[in-house]
Amino acid sequence: MNELAQVAILIGAKGRGSNMRALIQSCMNGEVAAEVRVVVSPSSDSPGALAAESMGVAVATVVPGDNYGDRILKAVNGCDWICLAGFTRLLPINVVHAYEHRILNIHPALLPHYGGKGMYGRHVHEAVIEAGERESGCTVHWVSEAYDEGAIIHQETCPVFPADTAEMLAERVLALEHQAYPRALAKVINGL
Ligand code: GRF
């Protein structure tokens, strides 16, 4: 019997897939007691999809359109957990309901601040710098019906320096994400 939790990762069309790679790696090296069974991608040749394949993980291509949620659920194929990693769309509601408290997302700021519609990529870091924050970080949270509003599972912080550009801050936060996401997944799998 396979005791490892089964995980599906949903990535975006243009995603670099760096969080996806960090999650796959941490499962492969035993840091997280889980197996990434499938990566669901809207395109078969995005950097993320190609990276998943090269790491030996199956890729299911699911293109947005009619019955999008049903087709995502079919691709997820009964996995225990879903991790969103650079998935920028609002997840179809039937997927959210089918996987309540089993879908995680990572956001590159300290929610509940700097989240919501339009708050992605460099927009987040620009807003943090503009507000004069001295600290930023990343948040892993449950996915609910609204953007970035589900309960917080795990946060990690890093400094914001006075001379930071959005790119510099983005790089610092991304490095933090790569350790925070596997930790958060381990935390929920272990029921902590
Ligand atoms: C990350 O910054 C994550 O916080 C956000 O989208 C970005 C995805 O980056 N949700 P990557 O594709 O994992 O490199």
Side-chain angles (χ1 to χ4, degrees), residues 11-12 14-21 84-88 105-109 120-121 125 138-139 170 173-174 177-178:
I11 61 173
K14 299 180 199 139
R16 292 165 295 203
S18 72
N19 279 288
M20 176 209 78
R21 289 198 304 275
L84 307 188
F87 184 87
T88 46
N105 182 43
I106 188 155
H107 184 76
Y120 61 88
H125 306 295
C138 61
T139 304
V173 170
L174 190 64
E177 292 183 46
H178 297 159

Side-chain angles (χ1 to χ4, degrees), residues 2 49 56 71 80 86 96 142 157 176:
N2 193 346
R71 289 183 288 115
D80 305 300
V96 177
W142 294 118
T157 61
L176 204 60

